């Protein structure tokens, strides 16, 4: 007897937008534009326009599997470019505008992109990149005019004009689910950025994981604000998850300052906002200054860096929103673990459990599993359906012989299975032959309400090899003395871990994805 069969339904990403266009046609994507104004479009219209972007790209000769680069903020036009690219089987290579032209040109040299979709306010950076990138020949300008284009290295056209002139219907999704859909370089907080290739299947499965109730659990009643940029690990997958769930999507454009975010949240009734911890400082400051309220906001989802306890307490008290912590990285598409929204024991250091599709392993420095997987600290490895196997352009796998990827993070899993990131192996400071973990010192100092940001780095030292230095940005210039700051460490860390010096900064330098820029701090204060 012949077996029956189920339909071969390829797990490709354009299906999320197809779904939203059909079942949530009028649900809006709202984009902040200049002067506090917004632009609105429904999923059905966005779907139609994204198809026309595919037709424009096909007209420029874009082939299946070709990389199309984007240099843009979180906007409707950027989202149309994404789906237009991925829907036709081309690969969207997102670029981080906060990096230098040289760094970005180096990434384009790797992907070989011929086309760059660029935001009008980034045209001078785009021109610098074009000068350094022989492969690049067309710049498609979005979110403004091409008037600022001054370069002969590539031609520039406004994507809007090309879309308007196109009446061809592009075909979407006629390819294998294992085809690549995106290329994103790691943010390079500790080393040179490396390219991570996502596939349709991996990002599709990642989206289904995000939509679980213990993860991000969006519903069609939610209004989602991804402050995390689309160039930072695909805005953590929200441009896929929002249409999949039929949620309203609010895109902040380039403005991530406290006032702009507060206005958007208030006007659009945002229920869930997502971003690295540092962006919420500005929002809390603005609300403190103006006495404003954001009653619609139910949840703020943070990840990408440790959540300072004082900030978590401040956000929950001042904004009345629950902070949901998570851990992830570019190589994981990016979500690894999430603290469930309803977790009564939520705490800034607890990043929750993995949802089905990712698994965690604690090992020693050589990659051997530690016997006690609950309670003991070690090196964190992961494997799963949306976890890297090999970096872009590399021959060797990024995984060990058992398929585990070494995250470079240090972690502990408690008896309930909750993950706590305890540091990064590359950040450790070696003093007198013993390791000091800056993350543990930062956690104590970061819990002091007067402290906005704290970072600990190693400074070269003739006698000890390295000694820790504490860098702080205080909320108010007056206040705690250095002795009082360091005194807070008594009883929390060994006395030889206490930093030798406190440096006060007016502004903590932030790296391209909004995290504390330890590379720069080491250059300026590491004495190397
Ligand atoms: P980069 O490695 O260049 O910073 P990513 O943006 O991919 O690039 O960041 C991933 C890293 O961010 C993780 O390896 C981890 O060190 C850090 N991170 C992410 N989430 C957390 C968290 N909840 N607590 C502490 N660190 C975190």
């Amino acid at each position: 007897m012949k077996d029956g069969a189920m339909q071969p339904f390829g797990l490709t990403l354009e299906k999320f937008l197809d779904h939203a266009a059909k079942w949530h046609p009028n649900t809006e994507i709202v984009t902040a534009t200049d002067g506090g104004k917004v632009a609105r479009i429904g999923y059905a219209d966005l779907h139609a326009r994204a198809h026309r972007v595919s037709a424009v790209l096909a007209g420029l000769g874009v082939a299946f599997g070709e990389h199309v680069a984007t240099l843009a903020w979180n906007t409707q036009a950027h989202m149309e470019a994404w789906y237009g690219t991925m829907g036709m089987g081309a690969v969207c290579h997102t670029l981080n505008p906060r990096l230098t032209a040289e760094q970005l040109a180096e990434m384009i040299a790797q992907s070989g992109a011929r086309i760059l979709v660029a935001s009008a306010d980034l045209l001078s950076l785009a021109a610098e990149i074009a000068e350094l990138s022989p492969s690049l020949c067309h710049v498609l300008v979005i979110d403004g005019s091409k008037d600022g284009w001054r370069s002969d290295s590539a031609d520039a056209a406004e994507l809007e004009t090309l879309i308007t002139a196109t009446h061809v219907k592009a075909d979407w999704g006629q390819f294998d689910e294992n085809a690549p859909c995106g290329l994103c370089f790691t943010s390079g907080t500790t080393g040179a950025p490396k390219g991570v290739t996502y596939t349709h299947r991996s990002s599709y499965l990642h989206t289904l994981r995000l939509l679980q109730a213990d993860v991000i659990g969006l519903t069609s009643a939610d209004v989602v604000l991804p402050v995390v940029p689309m160039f930072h690990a695909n805005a953590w997958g929200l441009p896929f998850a929002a249409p999949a769930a039929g949620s309203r999507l609010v895109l902040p454009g380039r403005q991530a300052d406290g006032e702009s975010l507060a206005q958007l949240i208030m006007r659009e009734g945002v229920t869930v906002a997502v971003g690295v911890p540092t962006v919420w400082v500005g929002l809390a400051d603005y609300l403190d200054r103006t006495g404003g309220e954001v009653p619609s906001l139910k949840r703020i989802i943070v990840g990408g860096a440790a959540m300072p306890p004082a900030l978590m307490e401040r956000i929950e008290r001042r904004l009345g929103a629950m902070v949901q912590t998570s851990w992830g990285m570019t190589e994981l598409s990016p979500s690894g673990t999430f603290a469930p929204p309803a977790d009564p024991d939520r705490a800034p250091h607890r990043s929750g459990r993995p949802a089905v599709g990712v698994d965690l392993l604690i090992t020693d420095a050589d990659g051997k599993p530690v016997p006690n997987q609950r309670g003991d600290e070690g090196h964190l490895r992961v494997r799963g359906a949306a976890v890297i196997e090999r970096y872009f352009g590399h021959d060797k796998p990024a995984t060990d012989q058992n398929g585990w990827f070494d995250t470079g993070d240090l972690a502990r899993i408690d008896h309930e299975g909750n993950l706590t990131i305890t540091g990064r192996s590359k950040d450790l400071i070696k003093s007198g032959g013993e390791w000091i973990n800056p993350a543990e010192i930062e956690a104590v100092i970061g819990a002091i309400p007067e402290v906005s940001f704290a970072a600990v780095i190693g400074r070269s030292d003739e006698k000890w090899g390295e000694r820790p230095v504490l860098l702080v940005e205080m909320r108010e210039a007056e206040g705690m003395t250095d002795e009082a700051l360091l005194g807070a460490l008594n009883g929390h860390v060994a006395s030889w871990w206490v930093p030798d010096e406190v440096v006060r900064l007016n502004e903590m330098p932030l790296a391209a994805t909004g995290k504390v820029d330890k590379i720069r701090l080491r250059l300026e204060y590491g004495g190397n």
Side-chain angles (χ1 to χ4, degrees):
M1 199 80 85
K2 197 168 179 206
D3 256 339
M6 300 302 280
Q7 300 179 5
F9 181 91
L11 305 183
T12 50
L13 296 173
E14 82 293 341
K15 291 199 170 78
F16 295 137
L17 196 56
D18 288 346
H19 169 84
K22 184 165 178 185
W23 299 107
H24 306 276
N26 301 318
T27 299
E28 285 174 336
I29 298 94
V30 181
T31 302
T33 57
D34 287 342
K37 294 203 206 76
V38 294
R40 298 173 191 280
I41 190 168
Y43 277 119
D45 288 341
L46 188 136
H47 180 255
R49 285 172 53 86
H51 269 88
R52 284 154 81 181
V53 172
S54 299
V56 169
L57 295 176
L60 291 169
V62 171
F64 175 76
E66 177 173 336
H67 288 90
V68 173
T70 69
L71 182 73
W73 310 108
N74 289 12
T75 67
Q76 172 195 325
H78 194 182
M79 190 146 153
E80 290 165 356
W82 266 32
Y83 276 95
T85 303
M86 297 181 199
M88 68 190 288
V91 184
C92 186
H93 174 189
T94 46
L95 296 171
N96 182 338
R98 301 197 181 97
L99 296 174
T100 64
E102 288 74 20
Q103 288 170 312
L104 295 169
E106 162 56 29
M107 293 170 189
I108 289 191
Q110 291 187 43
S111 75
R114 288 186 306 122
I115 295 176
L116 173 67
V117 176
S119 175
D121 64 354
L122 294 169
L123 285 188
S124 56
L125 176 59
E128 280 181 66
I129 297 169
E131 313 268 323
L132 298 167
S133 305
S135 67
L136 210 64
C137 33
H138 305 290
V139 173
L140 301 178
V141 183
I142 58 171
D143 294 322
S145 92
K146 69 180 173 82
D147 291 351
W149 184 250
R150 319 239 177 285
S151 171
D152 299 325
S153 305
D155 61 50
E158 283 166 20
L159 184 55
E160 189 60 46
T161 314
L162 301 179
I163 292 177
T164 314
T166 301
H167 297 288
V168 191
K169 171 100 174 62
D171 281 336
W172 272 11
Q174 316 284 328
F175 46 81
D176 188 89
E177 64 185 27
N178 287 301
C181 63
L183 173 65
C184 177
F185 281 74
T186 58
S187 39
T189 321
T190 53
K194 285 188 267 187
V196 179
T197 301
Y198 303 120
T199 67
H200 280 265
R201 177 188 154 81
S202 69
S203 290
Y204 195 107
L205 293 173
H206 179 262
T207 304
L208 298 188
R209 180 145 47 84
L210 280 191
L211 291 177
Q212 292 184 32
D214 271 354
V215 185
I216 293 190
L218 297 178
T219 73
S220 57
D222 274 316
V223 183
V224 190
L225 173 71
V227 182
V228 53
M230 288 164 73
F231 51 77
H232 187 195
N234 287 341
W236 301 353
L238 292 163
F240 307 129
S247 309
R248 243 173 109 212
L249 192 56
V250 177
L251 301 172
R254 75 172 298 167
Q255 288 90 17
D257 61 282
E259 177 170 2
S260 306
L261 294 181
Q263 297 295 343
L264 260 188
I265 295 169
M266 287 190 246
R267 290 201 194 123
E268 300 301 328
V270 169
T271 59
V272 179
V274 187
V276 293
T278 47
V279 303
W280 310 113
V281 175
L283 178 62
D285 284 349
Y286 174 79
L287 294 175
D288 275 352
R289 261 198 327 275
T290 57
E293 300 288 338
V294 283
S296 64
L297 194 61
K298 302 283 177 291
R299 259 191 296 159
I300 289 192
I301 299 172
V302 293
M307 182 68 188
L311 179 60
M312 176 147 165
E313 195 274 327
R314 185 174 173 214
I315 292 176
E316 296 214 332
R317 185 175 33 81
R318 181 63 190 83
L319 276 59
M322 173 196 292
V323 172
Q324 190 182 358
T325 48
S326 73
W327 165 80
M329 59 197 304
T330 308
E331 290 89 334
L332 272 64
S333 304
S335 81
T337 62
F338 269 79
D343 184 3
D345 299 322
R346 61 182 186 283
H349 63 87
R350 275 163 66 119
S351 298
R353 280 181 288 252
V356 67
V358 213
D359 197 12
L360 312 178
L361 182 72
I362 303 289
T363 72
D364 63 16
D366 301 322
K368 230 171 88 229
V370 300
N372 189 4
Q373 288 289 311
R374 295 287 187 275
D376 280 0
E377 188 183 3
H379 296 251
L380 178 62
R381 295 195 175 206
V382 282
R383 66 179 176 196
V387 175
I388 191 164
E389 181 162 81
R390 198 173 58 235
Y391 285 103
F392 187 84
H394 286 210
D395 291 326
K396 289 209 193 98
T399 49
D400 64 20
Q401 65 280 16
N402 298 316
W404 293 96
F405 166 68
D406 182 2
T407 64
D409 285 343
L410 304 170
R412 184 184 303 115
I413 301 175
D414 69 17
H415 289 278
E416 285 84 47
N418 292 294
L419 181 77
T420 291
I421 297 294
T422 53
R424 286 181 102 155
S425 50
K426 283 189 196 153
D427 279 351
L428 293 178
I429 298 167
K430 201 165 197 178
S431 180
E434 299 285 340
W435 295 107
I436 295 176
N437 184 354
E440 288 184 40
I441 305 173
E442 288 160 6
V444 178
I445 303 290
I448 300 172
E450 286 87 349
V451 172
S452 278
F453 294 103
V456 174
I457 57 159
R459 170 182 288 170
S460 330
D461 185 279
E462 270 187 25
K463 182 164 174 205
W464 301 105
E466 276 184 315
R467 286 296 300 151
V469 176
L470 169 66
L471 300 112
V472 281
E473 178 188 323
M474 303 298 288
R475 284 181 65 191
E476 275 151 33
E478 306 294 312
M480 294 182 81
T481 60
D482 291 357
E483 291 67 35
L485 276 170
L486 296 176
L489 293 167
N490 278 342
H492 292 285
V493 300
S495 57
W496 59 277
W497 281 33
V498 174
D500 285 0
E501 193 190 338
V502 179
V503 179
R504 290 166 189 258
L505 304 175
N506 289 334
E507 207 178 332
M508 184 66 78
L510 299 183
T513 44
K515 307 186 197 190
V516 169
D517 189 347
K518 286 211 166 167
I519 293 185
R520 195 165 137 203
L521 290 178
R522 279 192 204 108
L523 276 175
E524 284 180 33
Y525 302 97
N528 294 317

